[in-house]
Amino acid sequence: MDLPPRLEPTSCPLMAADPAGRDRAVAAFNEAAALAAELAEKHPRHLAAPGVPETLQKLREVRDRLTRQRYLVGFLGPSQCGKSTTLNNLLGEPVSVEGNTKATTSVVTRIRRAPEYGLTLRYLCVADYQHRRNILCDWIRLPNTAGLDETRILEKLAGHNPEASATAAARPVKPDDKLYLTRFLESRRAHAGHVKAVAHEEDRDYTDRGIVLVHPAGELQPAPTMLLAEADVRFPRDTLDPDIELVDCPGLGAARSVDTVLTKDFIPKLDAALLFTRAEELFNEPLLDILGDLKREFGDRLESRVWVVVNKMDGPLRHAKLEGVQGVTSFDAIADFDTRYGLPLSQVLLGCKPIYDDAKKAGSVAREKALGKIHLEPDDEPRLAEILGKYPAMKFAFEELLKDGGVGNLRRLIRETVARSVAAQVARDAARTLPEHAEFLRGVIKEASSGRSQQEREAAIRWRNALMGQVGQTFGRSKFFEGEVRRIRDTLLTRFEASTTDEALRWQSAKSLVDEQYRIDAESTLQPLLDKETGELVRAAYAHYSDALEKQNLPALSLGAAGSPADIWVQFRRDDLQNLGWLTPVRPRLYQPELIQRLAEDNLAGVFGAAEYRQLMRSKIRTAVHQVVLAVMSRLRARLEELVREIRKVLWTPGPATA
């Protein structure tokens, strides 16, 4: 087994701006690497012990981040939120192909500064092709395909109806998903030479970007480009910091689920991310989904790792910006990124393409004209000052928005801030996690050298393995949680449908639906029910994991004064049910008037009626239930990991440290 080699400060070029932080990280890494070497020398058989291979892999990943030559910064967000357009404005030329009304980007595209223009295509290797194929088959609920060739899978796919085996309301199969998988498999058969044991690359003309990196305009056909892993785009402009690569990822929530698959699959490789959203629909379901992925990758606090770009500030109308609904303005809604999702407002930028277009054309744009582009007037300045006075960081972003649509602010962030901030965070993360890795390896060495009874060691290992298996269940699809999604969703939908009849809604205006009916349904009727069901979910989740562990007939194990693992689990359950305060930061609010404040405008009365209101509420219920289940899954995962740590402390049989 390859051991992670020692690290020298000179091998960490991106951390040179903080020598002290770099040196602490290097010292912590070398301590863990030395323990790995000691284990290999004195107890080589223990390199295969449970947890050791995973810990060594974590060390390699930490070393990889510390020695990065360039940081990978993802451009992420829902489809049609202006990612590619903003990227081109940032870079000063059309590097990325822009969409109009449909998703455009189809390949994860890495963009970096280089001496000259270039485009390199990187195809899937055999292992990565199998991985993507399995994900796509799983996505459309086509089971038992792992050992089949393309012809057999195509035969199964021809008669497959995804809806007949639907199990997860939170992840619907989209109309184009079956066709895409069919063409993907056909591409593998027709162009097998592009998928090799080792991924191969192909240089193309830079001008081919608009052909090979986007979804085709016509009918989807088998093609080598469907077998691409990623693309490398190079351009000779100083608008991009040479220490970073921008990664343009396909939009989430598009007509084909593959766009979401590709983006989610790339997130673990990212060092930082710019998360794009639309001002008129800030917290949509795809954005909340990707925000959850980023929190799992970077931790609950996102400082120095994730920035939000609120695009299309010309969307919300004047009333929404100055008065809002129930006093909640567009700017108050944006502030929720900090108060509800732990992302400082200093990491929120504002964007508006019409302002940028005018500034680019004329060299600058008058303040009055810029205000007009976002439906405001000079007379609104006092009210703006009052609102933005509550949010100094947002006030700065707003002033930058009026100058050039926010592009200058984004350019400074990319050129001057991101690499330095990420380097500092990488150093902090390393200083935090490496001692855990070292503690684990030290424990394995002690266990291997101790005279502890074989029976005691085996009991501890069985408990640890069982618990880590349950931890793994909280990261992927779970029949239990999928069932809870359906149960809670159906409960809320049934209550909503029972409390709002077509007759009662038909004669209400758009303003009445938004200002009055929405408040009654969301705040008075559904929110208390959602809170009640959340408590039931916590109770059921604890019972589910208790049953799962009990079925494994685990041996008796004492953890000292704390009792047995089962005793500790009972205490966790009691604490979490008696005090649900841990849910407060992520508790979804069904009543969020800022999300639909545009609908309060009287001039939309003709296009927003009972049907649209019902569709809106059903969507909000699905999103809220999704948030609740993710929060409870995260809590149970943390409790399981805490129990593993208790076993590690007492018996010196720790599980793998987590990054």
Side-chain angles (χ1 to χ4, degrees):
M1 179 181 292
D2 293 335
L3 298 177
R6 278 181 55 84
L7 190 59
E8 298 298 331
T10 53
S11 301
C12 309
L14 299 182
M15 306 183 72
D18 180 17
R22 175 200 62 196
D23 292 346
R24 285 193 297 271
V26 169
F29 176 85
N30 286 337
E31 179 185 7
L35 288 166
E38 180 183 349
L39 179 64
E41 179 183 355
K42 295 181 178 179
H43 311 285
R45 285 173 37 181
H46 279 70
L47 290 175
V52 173
E54 293 85 351
T55 298
L56 295 180
Q57 179 58 30
K58 290 290 185 183
L59 287 179
R60 295 186 194 96
E61 292 172 2
V62 171
R63 193 181 196 282
D64 181 58
R65 287 198 188 276
L66 292 174
T67 59
R68 281 268 210 267
Q69 301 302 302
R70 287 183 298 273
Y71 289 128
L72 300 180
V73 181
F75 270 43
L76 312 174
S79 177
Q80 293 299 294
C81 66
K83 288 189 298 88
S84 296
T85 299
T86 304
L87 177 59
N88 289 336
N89 293 341
L90 165 68
L91 299 177
E93 62 178 89
V95 174
S96 183
V97 179
E98 301 175 19
N100 186 8
T101 59
K102 294 183 178 180
T104 302
T105 306
S106 65
V107 180
V108 172
T109 305
R110 299 168 61 153
I111 302 169
R112 61 185 174 89
R113 185 172 161 184
E116 58 186 27
Y117 290 101
L119 170 63
T120 300
L121 306 181
R122 192 168 297 113
Y123 289 90
L124 295 166
C125 66
V126 172
D128 289 341
Y129 167 79
Q130 295 285 352
H131 172 70
R132 184 176 297 182
R133 191 188 77 172
N134 291 342
I135 290 178
L136 293 174
C137 288
D138 180 63
W139 201 275
I140 69 162
R141 310 182 186 112
L142 186 67
N144 305 320
T145 60
L148 304 182
D149 61 19
E150 280 66 35
T151 300
R152 292 287 306 280
I153 298 176
L154 285 166
E155 291 172 356
K156 291 187 65 172
L157 187 59
H160 178 61
N161 178 11
E163 298 307 320
S165 55
T167 58
R171 198 185 70 178
V173 174
K174 298 189 175 181
D176 286 353
D177 287 352
K178 182 175 177 180
L179 174 62
Y180 185 89
L181 177 56
T182 300
R183 298 294 183 256
F184 178 71
L185 296 168
E186 290 173 347
S187 297
R188 174 71 170 96
R189 287 199 311 188
H191 307 283
H194 287 78
V195 178
K196 301 180 179 180
V198 178
H200 82 287
E201 298 181 350
E202 175 188 353
D203 290 329
R204 295 285 292 265
D205 192 276
Y206 181 77
T207 58
D208 287 345
R209 301 184 322 285
I211 301 173
V212 298
L213 303 183
V214 300
H215 288 297
E219 183 179 349
L220 189 64
Q221 296 294 337
T225 52
M226 296 193 73
L227 303 173
L228 286 173
E230 59 188 39
D232 179 35
V233 173
R234 304 173 296 282
F235 75 110
R237 296 284 294 270
D238 61 1
T239 50
L240 183 59
D241 185 339
D243 289 342
I244 67 175
E245 286 186 27
L246 299 183
V247 184
D248 189 13
C249 294
L252 303 166
R256 294 168 182 155
S257 296
V258 65
D259 290 350
T260 299
V261 169
L262 296 181
T263 295
K264 282 176 165 287
D265 215 31
F266 202 85
I267 284 177
K269 302 176 185 178
L270 294 176
D271 300 295
L274 269 68
L275 186 57
F276 288 75
T277 188
R278 298 181 291 271
E280 67 269 35
E281 192 184 6
L282 289 171
F283 301 107
N284 49 72
E285 189 169 350
L287 180 130
L288 293 175
D289 187 25
I290 208 72
L291 190 60
D293 288 344
L294 291 170
K295 283 197 169 192
R296 283 189 288 274
E297 188 64 28
F298 298 137
D300 284 340
R301 299 297 294 178
L302 300 174
E303 294 97 333
S304 305
R305 283 295 183 88
V306 176
W307 289 261
V308 168
V309 180
V310 180
N311 256 340
K312 305 191 178 183
M313 283 296 291
D314 51 318
L317 302 181
R318 180 174 180 270
H319 176 86
K321 291 187 173 77
L322 301 181
E323 304 300 332
V325 177
Q326 301 291 321
V328 179
T329 70
S330 299
F331 301 104
D332 296 321
I334 293 172
D336 269 358
F337 276 110
D338 185 8
T339 56
R340 291 183 59 76
Y341 299 101
L343 198 145
L345 291 182
S346 58
Q347 293 175 211
V348 176
L349 296 84
L350 307 178
C352 177
K353 186 176 184 297
I355 297 178
Y356 171 75
D357 289 341
D358 280 6
K360 181 180 179 182
K361 183 177 180 180
S364 63
V365 59
R367 186 179 183 87
E368 179 177 354
K369 187 174 183 181
L371 286 169
K373 293 291 184 182
I374 54 174
H375 313 296
L376 296 174
E377 304 169 359
D379 290 346
D380 297 326
E381 295 268 24
R383 175 59 177 157
L384 281 170
E386 178 186 351
I387 298 170
L388 294 173
K390 299 182 291 184
Y391 314 115
M394 198 187 308
K395 181 180 180 181
F396 172 80
F398 183 75
E399 293 299 322
E400 294 298 311
L401 171 76
L402 296 182
K403 290 178 182 177
D404 62 357
V407 172
N409 193 21
L410 181 58
R411 282 177 177 162
R412 285 190 296 276
L413 173 74
I414 295 296
R415 282 201 303 246
E416 303 170 9
T417 303
V418 171
R420 186 175 67 251
S421 296
V422 172
Q425 191 60 46
V426 167
R428 287 193 290 269
D429 288 347
R432 174 178 58 84
T433 61
L434 285 169
E436 297 179 11
H437 300 320
E439 178 194 358
F440 168 70
L441 293 170
R442 194 177 290 112
V444 174
I445 293 172
K446 183 172 182 179
E447 178 191 353
S449 306
S450 73
R452 200 180 306 278
S453 72
Q454 183 67 20
Q455 182 180 2
E456 192 175 19
R457 285 198 300 269
E458 289 178 356
I461 290 173
R462 282 191 61 189
W463 268 99
R464 182 189 60 200
N465 290 348
L467 290 167
M468 293 307 294
Q470 297 304 315
V471 169
Q473 294 282 332
T474 66
F475 282 101
R477 295 181 62 182
S478 162
K479 290 183 178 180
F480 167 75
F481 282 109
E482 287 180 347
E484 289 299 294
V485 166
R486 293 193 301 274
R487 182 185 67 79
I488 300 174
R489 179 207 63 194
D490 292 347
T491 299
L492 267 66
L493 285 175
T494 299
R495 177 67 63 84
F496 170 65
E497 301 294 351
S499 63
T500 55
T501 64
D502 288 338
E503 187 66 25
L505 298 178
R506 184 176 297 120
W507 304 109
Q508 295 193 50
S509 67
K511 185 172 179 60
S512 173
L513 286 171
V514 173
D515 286 352
E516 299 173 16
Q517 189 67 45
Y518 174 43
R519 180 179 56 79
I520 293 171
D521 289 335
E523 190 172 45
S524 302
T525 303
L526 296 175
Q527 189 68 56
L529 181 58
L530 177 62
D531 293 342
K532 174 179 176 293
E533 292 298 329
T534 300
E536 292 300 319
L537 172 62
V538 175
R539 185 175 287 103
Y542 267 100
H544 167 74
Y545 284 107
S546 295
D547 291 344
L549 292 170
E550 186 175 343
K551 288 177 181 177
Q552 297 188 47
N553 296 317
L554 295 168
L557 180 64
S558 173
L559 300 178
S564 69
D567 295 332
I568 295 176
W569 190 250
V570 169
Q571 186 60 48
F572 286 164
R573 176 182 180 276
R574 185 180 299 118
D575 293 344
D576 284 347
L577 283 171
Q578 287 178 351
N579 181 10
L580 291 174
W582 53 272
L583 266 174
T584 301
V586 293
R587 173 179 174 265
R589 289 185 298 123
L590 281 165
Y591 183 59
Q592 292 178 284
E594 65 273 13
L595 294 183
I596 54 170
Q597 51 198 317
R598 289 188 70 195
L599 303 176
E601 300 292 335
D602 290 336
N603 62 348
L604 290 183
V607 297
F608 186 78
E612 290 76 17
Y613 175 71
R614 284 188 180 280
Q615 182 179 2
L616 170 75
M617 288 302 299
R618 290 170 184 140
S619 175
K620 287 187 64 60
I621 287 170
R622 287 193 296 270
T623 299
V625 172
H626 185 61
Q627 287 179 259
V628 162
V629 172
L630 283 178
V632 174
M633 286 177 67
S634 178
R635 181 65 171 186
L636 269 291
R637 181 190 312 129
R639 287 304 205 183
L640 289 164
E641 290 173 339
E642 188 174 350
L643 187 49
V644 171
R645 288 194 293 272
E646 289 298 319
I647 294 174
R648 179 178 64 193
K649 285 190 298 186
V650 175
L651 295 178
W652 287 99
T653 55
T658 56

